[in-house]
Amino acid sequence: MTVPVIPNDRARHIFLSKHGLVDAPTGTGKGADLQAAVDDLGFVQLDSVNTFARAHDLILWSRRQQYRPAHLSNLLTVDRGVFEHWTHDASAISMAHFPHWRLKFARDAVWLESRWKEWRRDDFTKKIDEVLRHISDHGSCTSGDVGTDEDRGKGGWWDWHPSKTALEYLWRSGQVSVVRRENFTKIYDLTERVIPADALNARIASDETVDWACGFAMDKLGFATSGEIAAFFALVTPAEAREWCKNAFADDTIIEVDVAGVDGKLRRSFARPDMLDLTLPKLSTRVRIMSPFDPALRDRKRAERLFGFHYRIEIFVPAAKRQYGYYVFPVMEGDQLIGRIDMKRQGTTLGVTAFWPEQSVRMGAGRIKRLQGEIARAARFGGCDDVRYENGWQRT
């Protein structure tokens, strides 16, 4: 049988629609509206870098421009609509998914106990009961509250003292949870004190979790390979995702499609049968400054195939070898990535160092005006009173 082809322009439209980037970024960005946005995405990646806004806040702001950072904090600490744990990285995850994360807790416990014994100094497992007892007796704590008599080490971010390693292990294995953050520092408490009873007490079989995770990923990506399905939550193994695709294809709940890249090359993928006839909402032409970790862009290879956008963060690249800035933000207009911008907060001013348009993008007066309008909105979001453009900020 002939495999249907999804043209590149429709593939981009489908993909952005599935990621909440087709409609204009309206909504209150708090309470039930914010919960709906997170539920729709499934999770929001957390990141500590804060040049003018943290990555997770920028992800939500690009979809709800009335959103403010305190709103996600309230969702975590007051409403308990999300919990913090690991997908491919640290993330705020919809609380409705907590029962499914028990599979990840169990798998992480086995994997980390084996690997961290080799990778971390001393034997952190000897500290697990002591740290757990400390939290049980004294309440919530940070990594600085445990192992106070232990050598902190000078090996950088990952040179953890044994009690901190034990605390992180307890979090990754689900025995403690993040109750709140202060200045982005995680504060932990016993999971039974943090997670609402209905989510805490629910139990779901492993095979049901695998089916749910693969189905959710399929629906959120619109079209995907089994590897992309496995990578979405990083909750199931590649082998489990392949088996799910095999069975779903046999049951006619997914079909094979060829997705055209921006270069015309076809990539064999899976999709729901109704994807070919899906009625898509009208695409907003709004210019959006995006997080480098936006769920629509975090798979760099897919972003390059679909949009022709080659993006790498150059934080760890020596300054003399950087093509762009230290930490630049992708800029999207409609279904096109038009460039990247280097800007950061300088006191109460947002300093714009440079904007590099993509080679195929013409920066006419109208487009520059729309870009500057978004920069002004970003400045207000970042708590800045004004914007300062460096000489020559419009690069070629």
Side-chain angles (χ1 to χ4, degrees):
M1 294 179 62
T2 302
V3 174
V5 175
I6 301 179
N8 181 250
D9 57 347
R10 181 167 174 83
R12 293 200 309 270
H13 199 160
I14 290 171
F15 190 71
L16 294 178
S17 176
K18 295 292 185 177
H19 285 81
L21 292 170
V22 165
D23 299 324
T26 58
T28 64
K30 61 182 177 181
D33 181 61
L34 179 60
Q35 183 73 62
V38 177
D39 289 347
D40 187 51
L41 291 171
F43 68 93
V44 177
Q45 182 177 338
L46 303 171
D47 191 77
S48 61
V49 176
N50 189 12
T51 55
F52 91 95
R54 298 193 191 277
H56 45 281
D57 292 324
L58 197 51
I59 289 169
L60 294 167
W61 175 76
S62 64
R63 291 159 174 81
R64 302 284 196 278
Q65 289 203 336
Q66 293 187 55
Y67 165 82
R68 291 299 180 265
H71 300 164
L72 182 60
S73 177
N74 287 340
L75 202 60
L76 171 71
T77 63
V78 179
D79 300 335
R80 296 294 181 208
V82 297
F83 68 100
E84 286 195 23
H85 207 261
W86 210 259
T87 54
H88 65 291
D89 211 322
S91 300
I93 306 163
S94 291
M95 187 62 74
H97 304 339
F98 182 85
H100 292 294
W101 246 251
R102 291 195 176 278
L103 177 62
K104 191 165 187 65
F105 297 157
R107 290 178 172 179
D108 279 4
V110 174
W111 188 82
L112 293 176
E113 185 169 347
S114 171
R115 293 301 181 93
W116 281 4
K117 277 186 176 181
E118 300 174 8
W119 294 351
R120 309 297 183 198
R121 55 190 170 90
D122 302 324
D123 185 357
F124 79 93
T125 61
K126 296 178 180 178
K127 296 291 184 177
I128 290 175
D129 289 342
E130 180 182 324
V131 171
L132 201 56
R133 189 162 53 249
H134 174 90
I135 299 172
S136 179
D137 294 345
H138 302 287
S140 58
C141 73
T142 69
S143 60
D145 298 324
V146 296
T148 54
D149 60 339
E150 297 170 13
D151 177 20
R152 266 14 190 195
K154 300 178 181 178
W157 287 351
W158 306 110
D159 188 11
W160 297 345
H161 59 86
S163 291
K164 174 177 173 55
T165 307
L167 183 59
E168 290 290 322
Y169 169 83
L170 288 167
W171 173 53
R172 293 284 295 273
S173 61
Q175 298 176 70
V176 303
S177 294
V178 176
V179 63
R180 66 184 184 279
R181 283 183 181 253
E182 293 180 3
N183 297 321
F184 209 66
T185 297
K186 294 197 292 284
I187 299 175
Y188 306 87
D189 206 338
L190 299 179
T191 292
E192 57 263 33
R193 296 175 181 168
V194 177
I195 303 301
D198 55 346
L200 179 68
N201 296 327
R203 294 294 185 273
I204 297 175
S206 297
D207 58 345
E208 293 181 57
T209 288
V210 170
D211 183 62
W212 167 83
C214 291
F216 191 102
M218 181 79 268
D219 292 334
K220 285 313 306 171
L221 294 171
F223 45 82
T225 65
S226 64
E228 290 168 337
I229 288 172
F232 182 84
F233 280 126
L235 182 58
V236 304
T237 67
E240 287 170 334
R242 284 194 298 270
E243 184 67 15
W244 182 87
C245 289
K246 176 184 174 182
N247 294 334
F249 181 72
D251 292 341
D252 296 324
T253 56
I254 61 174
I255 60 172
E256 287 185 325
V257 295
D258 281 336
V259 181
V262 72
D263 58 1
K265 293 181 180 179
L266 301 179
R267 181 178 175 84
R268 184 62 53 88
S269 301
F270 295 104
R272 297 295 191 186
D274 63 355
M275 190 57 59
L276 302 176
D277 302 318
L278 185 67
T279 300
L280 297 171
K282 185 178 179 180
L283 183 67
S284 169
T285 58
R286 178 70 168 267
V287 171
R288 306 178 200 246
I289 294 172
M290 309 284 286
S291 163
F293 303 111
D294 193 280
L297 301 175
R298 67 179 179 85
D299 184 331
R300 308 301 190 208
K301 292 181 179 179
R302 183 171 55 213
E304 193 161 357
R305 285 195 308 272
L306 282 180
F307 302 100
F309 189 69
H310 178 81
Y311 182 82
R312 298 292 184 272
I313 295 176
E314 298 182 317
I315 290 177
F316 301 110
V317 177
K321 295 184 178 181
R322 288 177 190 149
Q323 183 178 1
Y324 304 107
Y326 161 81
Y327 187 89
V328 299
F329 301 92
V331 180
M332 178 175 283
E333 182 184 46
D335 67 348
Q336 185 179 11
L337 284 152
I338 63 172
R340 58 204 83 201
I341 191 167
D342 185 5
M343 60 187 192
K344 63 181 177 180
R345 187 190 309 106
Q346 300 165 342
T348 59
T349 298
L350 181 62
V352 179
T353 303
F355 171 76
W356 295 269
E358 292 294 279
Q359 280 190 332
S360 60
V361 173
R362 294 174 60 86
M363 293 303 293
R367 182 170 269 162
I368 291 172
K369 183 178 180 180
R370 291 193 295 275
L371 172 61
Q372 289 181 311
E374 178 73 346
I375 292 170
R377 289 187 288 269
R380 292 192 293 273
F381 174 64
C384 299
D385 297 330
D386 60 1
V387 178
R388 180 179 60 79
Y389 293 92
E390 290 193 7
N391 291 333
W393 72 277
Q394 294 181 47
R395 306 293 176 86
T396 59

